[in-house]
Amino acid sequence: MPDLRIQPVDGDVVLEEWRHVHNVIVPPAAMGIDEVRERAGRYRLENAYLGEMVVGCSTVRPPEGEGAVATVIARVLPEYRGRGFGAALYEKGLRCAHELGARVVETCVLAVNEDGLRFAGARGFVEVERYVLDGETDVWVDLRLAPSQV
């Protein structure tokens, strides 16, 4: 994929592009730009571009706790799925998680996102929990990468 470029989110224009992709993929967790700025201070956020067009984004939450659990989330706009962009985002995020010392890798997918659940399953993630946030109706799925895959 020579035209695919993945780069860290830095600056208002790319923050807005990350926010757009995130909000399209997970509308129940839609964020304003200030929330994205705050998140960018805690997590590694990246955008994927095909030429100059943003096609996806990712989040890597650094390892936490005794288990050194990191979270890697890759998101690709529906019209760009099935071309390997999600795999490229995921693989880069997984490398980042390992570089940060992750011993366990998790991800989170909105349950209605069947493409996302299939994508995670194809990479060795197994479901560990389904839940609904307080006051909400949307079902979320937490998945963990099988130890042999980390």
Side-chain angles (χ1 to χ4, degrees):
M1 282 178 286
D3 292 342
L4 185 70
R5 176 173 43 89
I6 300 173
Q7 67 182 51
V9 170
D10 182 26
D12 285 347
V13 171
V14 291
L15 280 170
E16 180 57 40
E17 290 170 335
W18 186 95
R19 186 182 82 83
H20 167 75
V21 174
H22 175 275
N23 290 354
V24 167
I25 305 302
V26 285
M31 287 188 251
I33 194 68
D34 289 337
E35 292 170 291
V36 175
R37 277 191 196 100
E38 186 274 330
R39 189 166 284 201
R42 293 184 291 135
Y43 306 142
R44 177 154 180 104
L45 307 182
E46 294 188 318
N47 285 341
Y49 297 91
L50 187 59
E52 295 305 311
M53 180 65 62
V54 66
V55 298
C57 72
S58 66
T59 302
V60 176
R61 297 178 190 154
E64 295 181 336
E66 288 182 26
V69 179
T71 301
V72 176
I73 303 169
R75 302 172 199 86
V76 175
L77 293 169
E79 61 269 29
Y80 295 102
R81 291 180 183 163
R83 301 187 204 177
F85 304 146
L89 277 164
Y90 166 71
E91 289 164 10
K92 190 162 191 256
L94 187 61
R95 281 192 307 272
C96 178
H98 287 148
E99 289 167 5
L100 294 171
R103 291 194 307 268
V104 176
V105 176
E106 294 182 339
T107 195
C108 181
V109 180
L110 192 57
V112 297
N113 182 353
E114 294 176 7
D115 288 342
L117 291 172
R118 268 193 304 277
F119 180 89
R123 277 145 190 86
F125 283 87
V126 294
E127 183 176 327
V128 292
E129 182 180 13
R130 283 184 183 244
Y131 56 93
V132 176
L133 297 172
D134 289 341
E136 303 289 330
T137 59
D138 298 290
V139 178
W140 296 89
V141 182
D142 284 347
L143 301 109
R144 181 169 281 187
L145 196 56
S148 63
Q149 302 293 313
V150 177

